[in-house]
Amino acid sequence: MTGPVSLTTVFPGLVWAMAILALVQIFRRAALWRAGAAASVPWFSGLASLPRRYLVDVHHVVARDGYASRMHAVVAGGMLAASLLTALAILPPLGGFRPYWGVVALAFGVMAAGSLMVGARRYPVKKPRLSAGRFQVLPVLLLAYALGGTVTALLLAFGVGDTGLALVAAALAAAGGLGLAFEVRHGPMRHAAAGALHLVAHPRPGRFEGRPDTALQPLDLDAPRLGAEMPADFTWNRLLSYDACVSCGRCEIACPAFAAGQPLNPKKLIQDLVAGLSPAEPAYAGAPYPGGRDAMGGRGALIELVGPEARIHPDTLWSCTTCRACVEECPMMIEHVDAVVALRRNQTLELGALPEKAVGPVTELRQTGEAGGRPLAARTDFAAGLDLPVLAPRGRADVLLWLGEGAYDLRYGRSLRALVRLLRQAGVDFAVLGPDERDTGDLARRLGDEATFQALAKANIATLAARDFGRIVTADPHALHALRNEYPAFGGRYAVTHHTAFLLELIQAGRLTPGRLTDCSVTYHDPCYLARYNGETEAPRALLDAIGVSRVEMARSGRRAMCCGGGGGAPVSDVPGERRIPDLRMAQAAETGAGIVAVACPSCTAMLEGVPDRKAEIRDIAELLLQAVEAGR
């Protein structure tokens, strides 16, 4: 067994043994996924789309960290190429062809370079956002497989595979390679196998079709259990998706709640879902939840996940602003927010365990259709003296202006008055629903009260069905998202436009002619429900450019902007932290030196204006445009 011919058989056999061991490990892991609920998966289209989803969609996110992108391309590409070429060498014509082994050696050499790059992020000092534990062993196993493979292939290429050095090199490759295969079940290599399957069976395939796929899936209110109480309540492909997590920590550093010191770390949350399912899961070795509220809890598919002594503390759930920053940054495209809402639904609908301060608003939504319990007719009080047209049943208007909850706020009423005056000046045929406009139910749905959301949605859809209009325009991204993306599941399909996009249309059509506000220095804050949930980042900026302001971007902007802290029911959940999210965001705005922070959402206006000692003025884009139009007269 020391001749070159034997080694050309043994070395490829090693790779085949690795593949078999990896398959065994992943099948053992799949037994856990099968504990989840059924899910319909378009397998054919998913498999056909896998190369593009991996090479384009995933790497589009990975490439945001240039070093990680190069590292991943080199180590993964080298490993796949080297392993495949070595496996094929079991065929005698290839195994006996010495130049072929030179190509194999080159592929292993590329992998070795990538392995050193992996190690450089962990030794001598690990990057803070990365998890330790078994991940610290990963670069050692990669390097052992790569170096052993490189030397073995080189010796075979030079025809000296019968030496003791060749056996030592092959043994090193075997130790590294079999070690990597062993790590597929519980270790860091699990993400490679689970990640590929997750991309095929992704619960939101629309994300790979070039459009936002952000609407929550309707809950069957007649189901025996509402929401997710235990791992088995998640669908099997969502359990699979959590295993795709590579613990890279990108979600962790993007999370506004984590930055504010609230008890939420999205990476830890996903790993708690993984550990909750698996009795043999290794201990978590990353950053904990802020506040020191870690509880181990039980393990198993039927174990309760949320509770004061369970694996996930309730405060962790209620800290989430549902901003999707974690989802946006995840290179494996895991849906953290869907998991949070599923757990919230169980807490709210099954246990009635809403945060104390959220009980009042949700109760008012159920009873009055408005979170503050205010009369629906009072929604138009902001427009006193403007003679706001109301669209009656069987009435007709080109544009239905959806006012949203911001209409009750005195400060945001100024923004809506500016919008109404602009519509009037542009000659737009518009109207509002007046006392027939209820809350869209966004707050209830994000807090897990799906029953109240569905009741409000159906009532609003019935109200809208009695009117004739071309499209809905709203200044509230939360209302826009519900009407545009979540109401279609209940039969309500409308053309819905954000007010910034509509105002830009009016300028481009020559119906509004603004002057230039060249003395204004402005930075724009992207609302999460407009940028990440609906992909609209350019219209607000184009509108600001049209009025001639000096526009400067914050370090986090567009789809990667930081949340104001006003989404997902966070203001009424009111989980304390070390800092306040809006304070952090305004500090980022202050770094730009801009005198004005332009906003395009009533929640953002309220949160950012509530920051004490802020240096910048908060202005809705409609207010700035009205100022420019009046200056241009």
Side-chain angles (χ1 to χ4, degrees):
M1 296 284 297
T2 61
V5 173
S6 298
L7 191 56
T8 58
T9 302
V10 171
F11 190 34
L14 161 67
V15 176
W16 284 103
M18 286 172 53
I20 292 171
L21 177 58
L23 283 173
V24 170
Q25 296 289 68
I26 203 66
F27 274 116
R28 294 177 70 186
R29 192 72 196 181
L32 297 175
W33 305 332
R34 288 198 293 269
S40 177
V41 173
W43 285 106
F44 180 79
S45 61
L47 286 167
S49 302
L50 177 59
R52 176 178 174 80
R53 292 180 180 182
Y54 182 78
L55 296 173
V56 177
D57 297 285
V58 166
H59 274 275
H60 173 74
V61 180
V62 175
R64 294 172 183 171
D65 181 336
Y67 183 93
S69 177
R70 293 187 294 273
M71 175 196 77
H72 190 265
V74 172
V75 72
M79 181 177 178
L80 287 172
S83 300
L84 180 60
L85 290 171
T86 303
L88 292 175
I90 201 166
L91 301 173
L94 295 179
F97 187 47
R98 286 166 52 183
Y100 182 82
W101 287 109
V103 176
V104 175
L106 177 62
F108 272 114
V110 170
M111 180 190 170
S115 302
L116 292 173
M117 295 177 72
V118 174
R121 299 209 308 166
R122 296 182 174 276
Y123 298 101
V125 179
K126 177 183 69 65
K127 288 177 69 72
R129 65 179 170 87
L130 301 176
S131 292
R134 292 170 79 155
F135 280 90
Q136 292 297 99
V137 182
L138 179 61
V140 177
L141 295 176
L142 288 169
L143 193 58
Y145 181 48
L147 288 180
T150 302
V151 173
T152 303
L154 279 175
L155 292 174
L156 289 171
F158 285 105
V160 287
D162 57 348
T163 63
L165 178 60
L167 291 178
V168 171
L172 180 63
L178 293 174
L180 290 170
F182 182 78
E183 292 294 311
V184 165
R185 184 182 177 200
H186 290 303
M189 289 303 292
R190 179 176 62 209
H191 91 277
L197 290 171
H198 163 55
L199 293 176
V200 172
H202 200 284
R204 289 188 179 273
R207 290 187 64 183
F208 306 102
E209 297 170 3
R211 59 179 174 85
D213 185 0
T214 54
L216 292 173
Q217 296 178 352
L219 182 67
D220 179 5
L221 297 175
D222 294 322
R225 181 165 35 245
L226 302 177
E229 177 186 12
M230 57 190 71
D233 291 330
F234 290 98
T235 60
W236 70 266
N237 57 339
R238 290 193 182 272
L239 296 178
L240 160 66
S241 76
Y242 307 146
D243 272 349
C245 176
V246 69
S247 290
C248 67
R250 294 196 191 194
C251 60
E252 174 183 300
I253 61 174
C255 177
F258 183 80
Q262 294 177 269
L264 170 62
N265 178 345
K267 180 176 77 172
K268 176 73 162 67
L269 175 69
I270 294 300
Q271 289 304 312
D272 274 339
L273 294 174
V274 170
L277 175 66
S278 173
E281 190 66 19
Y284 174 73
Y289 297 124
R293 289 181 169 176
D294 284 336
M296 294 307 296
R299 295 192 178 199
L302 303 180
I303 294 297
E304 182 180 20
L305 285 167
V306 181
E309 301 302 323
R311 185 162 293 277
I312 300 171
H313 193 281
D315 283 353
T316 294
L317 289 185
W318 304 116
S319 295
C320 179
T321 67
T322 67
C323 71
R324 287 182 68 87
C326 52
V327 181
E328 180 69 24
E329 296 299 324
C330 179
M332 295 312 301
M333 309 191 86
I334 298 169
E335 294 286 340
H336 311 65
V337 174
D338 286 355
V340 168
V341 173
L343 294 167
R344 284 182 175 185
R345 284 171 167 175
N346 184 262
Q347 292 289 298
T348 299
L349 296 173
E350 293 281 2
L351 305 178
L354 274 166
E356 182 178 354
K357 292 183 180 180
V359 172
V362 169
T363 301
E364 293 291 358
L365 282 171
R366 293 170 181 166
Q367 296 177 352
T368 70
E370 199 283 304
R374 294 159 292 203
L376 297 182
R379 196 187 301 270
T380 56
D381 286 357
F382 76 92
L386 290 180
D387 190 24
L388 201 61
V390 175
L391 187 61
R394 293 179 296 281
R396 174 73 173 83
D398 290 341
V399 170
L400 174 63
L401 179 61
W402 190 277
L403 299 175
E405 289 301 287
Y408 289 103
D409 179 72
L410 289 175
R411 165 61 186 90
Y412 203 73
R414 300 205 310 266
S415 301
L416 288 175
R417 287 179 68 89
L419 176 57
V420 169
R421 290 174 63 187
L422 289 167
L423 296 179
R424 281 258 168 78
Q425 180 146 338
V428 176
D429 174 28
F430 76 97
V432 299
L433 289 176
D436 288 340
E437 181 185 320
R438 300 173 184 81
D439 189 283
T440 60
D442 168 79
L443 175 65
R445 191 170 222 196
R446 267 68 204 171
L447 287 172
D449 189 355
E450 179 74 3
T452 297
F453 166 77
Q454 291 192 18
L456 287 168
K458 291 171 183 176
N460 280 325
I461 289 169
T463 296
L464 293 172
R467 275 87 175 166
D468 184 12
F469 53 89
R471 60 171 151 173
I472 298 173
V473 171
T474 182
D476 185 346
H478 296 263
L480 176 141
H481 176 68
L483 293 166
R484 177 192 285 177
N485 300 319
E486 301 198 326
Y487 278 26
F490 304 95
R493 292 175 173 80
Y494 317 106
V496 189
T497 306
H498 190 250
H499 75 304
T500 56
F502 187 64
L503 292 172
L504 181 62
E505 289 180 27
L506 296 177
I507 292 175
Q508 292 171 338
R511 297 173 68 178
L512 287 174
T513 308
R516 309 282 289 178
L517 304 181
T518 55
D519 294 335
C520 293
S521 175
V522 176
T523 186
Y524 172 60
H525 164 75
D526 289 271
C528 302
Y529 275 72
L530 187 62
R532 274 189 287 273
Y533 274 79
N534 284 277
E536 181 59 85
T537 60
E538 295 308 312
R541 289 172 169 81
L543 199 154
L544 288 171
D545 292 343
I547 61 176
V549 300
S550 175
R551 181 168 62 83
V552 58
E553 294 286 2
M554 285 186 252
R556 292 180 60 175
S557 62
R559 292 175 62 97
R560 305 183 73 186
M562 184 176 186
C563 178
C564 73
V572 296
S573 299
D574 198 25
V575 178
E578 298 169 4
R579 294 168 295 278
R580 296 174 66 248
I581 295 172
D583 295 349
L584 298 175
R585 185 55 170 165
M586 283 304 292
Q588 295 171 1
E591 292 173 356
T592 69
I596 296 174
V597 177
V599 291
C601 170
S603 295
C604 297
T605 302
M607 298 302 292
L608 298 183
E609 274 214 331
V611 173
D613 301 324
R614 55 184 171 81
K615 301 298 189 292
E617 184 182 2
I618 310 299
R619 302 279 299 279
D620 187 274
I621 291 182
E623 297 174 73
L624 291 170
L625 177 57
L626 179 61
Q627 180 182 341
V629 168
E630 291 177 340
R633 288 176 179 171

